């Protein structure tokens, strides 16, 4: 197996991820399982100078599908799998849950031969994606196309509810999942709401005391987090506005 540090740089890998360059965003939900599984992939827009052009072509609003028989893609992330489509053509899949569902059994991220177990993994992942979407809505609660500054008053109200009601509801669920499983999550919300997360650490000991530290030490993940492939949070889904954090 090639060294993990080279995974995101390979140009002949089985899987190609196309997502906005320079930010983790929803692309991170695809990168993390690939890195954890030690599976080679190409992060196209971060590794190829013309990668963004490939992505824009895939999500062209005028597209009715491509010559490989794939339907149009709505938005990234897009997974492209050379040779996996019709008659050996490239397969493309968009929508984060659809990409995760395609990858999971192929890279060993769900119990083999256990449909119920796979469904349980999916429901936990989808709940995490719900949290992701609600975090995004704290800075764009009215219109995705409008600037944060144009909806700041609404953002303050949304962020207050998110911090006080939604974060504990989601974390309470994940804490119960971990308690029931006793197995061994967090950079994004720690970036966006550092004070709120600091205040919540002791409230959810399994998440912050066991799960995240052990997850960060997993083979593949530890190397990924320390590598240049791990993009910094900035102006993507998770954004840090001090006025939206705990005061």
């Amino acid at each position: 197996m090639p060294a993990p540090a080279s995974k995101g740089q390979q140009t002949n890998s089985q899987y190609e991820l196309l997502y906005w360059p320079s930010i983790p965003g929803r692309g991170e939900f695809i990168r993390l399982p690939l890195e954890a599984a030690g599976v080679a992939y190409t992060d196209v827009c971060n590794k190829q100078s013309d990668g963004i052009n490939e992505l824009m072509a895939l999500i062209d609003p005028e597209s009715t599908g491509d010559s490989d028989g794939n339907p149009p893609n709505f938005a990234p992330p897009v997974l492209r799998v050379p040779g996996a489509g019709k008659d050996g053509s490239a397969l493309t899949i968009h929508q984060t849950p659809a990409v995760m569902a395609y990858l999971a059994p192929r890279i060993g991220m769900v119990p083999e031969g256990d449909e119920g177990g796979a469904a349980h993994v999916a429901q936990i992942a989808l709940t995490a994606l719900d949290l992701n979407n609600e975090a995004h809505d704290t800075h764009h609660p009215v219109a995705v196309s409008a600037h944060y500054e144009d909806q700041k008053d609404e953002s303050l109200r949304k962020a207050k509810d998110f911090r006080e009601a939604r974060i504990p509801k989601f974390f309470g669920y994940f804490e119960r999942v971990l308690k029931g499983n006793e197995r061994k999550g967090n950079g994004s919300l720690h970036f966006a709401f550092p004070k709120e997360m600091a205040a919540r650490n002791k409230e959810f000991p399994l998440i912050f005391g066991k799960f995240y530290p052990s997850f960060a030490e997993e083979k593949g993940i530890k190397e990924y987090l320390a590598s240049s492939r791990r993009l910094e949070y900035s102006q993507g889904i998770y954004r840090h506005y001090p006025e939206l954090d705990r005061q």
Side-chain angles (χ1 to χ4, degrees):
M1 180 182 293
S6 67
K7 287 199 295 286
Q9 300 173 5
Q10 300 214 0
T11 57
N12 59 345
S13 51
Q14 180 179 357
Y15 300 112
E16 299 175 354
L17 169 65
L18 292 103
Y19 191 74
W20 305 118
S22 304
I23 60 172
R26 290 179 176 86
E28 199 71 353
F29 289 98
I30 313 304
R31 296 185 190 96
L32 285 172
L34 288 167
E35 295 280 352
V39 173
Y41 69 100
T42 301
D43 195 341
V44 175
C45 292
N46 284 303
K47 295 301 178 186
Q48 299 176 193
S49 59
D50 62 343
I52 187 62
N53 295 328
E54 291 190 42
L55 173 59
M56 297 309 293
L58 284 172
I59 61 172
D60 184 345
E62 301 299 321
S63 172
T64 58
D66 62 22
S67 59
D68 290 329
N70 295 293
N73 298 286
F74 181 70
V78 177
L79 181 73
R80 185 167 59 198
V81 190
K86 296 178 181 179
D87 300 321
S89 61
L91 173 69
T92 62
I93 307 170
H94 80 283
Q95 285 288 0
T96 309
V99 175
M100 294 170 70
Y102 176 85
L103 281 176
R106 291 168 172 80
I107 63 175
M109 288 289 116
V110 293
E112 186 175 357
D114 183 356
E115 291 185 358
H120 290 154
V121 171
Q123 73 182 16
I124 295 168
L126 289 169
T127 304
L129 288 171
D130 286 343
L131 172 60
N132 176 79
N133 293 339
E134 291 197 26
H136 170 272
D137 290 347
T138 60
H139 53 77
H140 278 76
V142 178
V144 174
S145 59
H147 293 294
Y148 164 65
E149 290 75 15
D150 297 329
Q151 47 195 317
K152 190 170 180 178
D153 290 342
E154 294 88 348
S155 293
L156 290 167
R157 292 179 58 194
K158 181 70 174 179
K160 183 176 187 295
D161 177 71
F162 179 70
R163 296 193 318 269
E164 296 178 358
R166 303 303 288 164
I167 284 178
K169 183 176 179 68
F170 278 104
F171 282 5
Y173 168 73
F174 295 131
E175 190 81 359
R176 288 186 286 118
V177 169
L178 292 170
K179 190 173 293 184
N181 196 34
E182 281 300 321
R183 170 80 173 118
K184 2 171 241 174
N186 69 23
S188 51
L189 283 177
H190 276 74
F191 171 77
F193 300 98
K195 292 182 180 179
E196 186 66 29
M197 292 299 99
R200 298 280 185 187
N201 273 358
K202 292 183 180 179
E203 189 176 345
F204 302 101
L206 290 178
I207 295 175
F208 298 117
K210 291 186 68 176
F211 174 76
Y212 186 72
S214 59
F215 176 73
E217 290 297 316
E218 286 281 343
K219 179 176 174 59
I221 295 298
K222 182 177 182 178
E223 293 152 333
Y224 170 62
L225 294 177
S227 75
S228 60
R229 302 191 304 281
R230 170 68 163 184
L231 304 173
E232 294 185 4
Y233 290 98
S234 55
Q235 289 299 302
I237 293 171
Y238 295 94
R239 305 185 185 187
H240 177 55
Y241 296 107
E243 63 271 21
L244 300 185
D245 200 359
R246 180 180 288 230
Q247 302 302 306

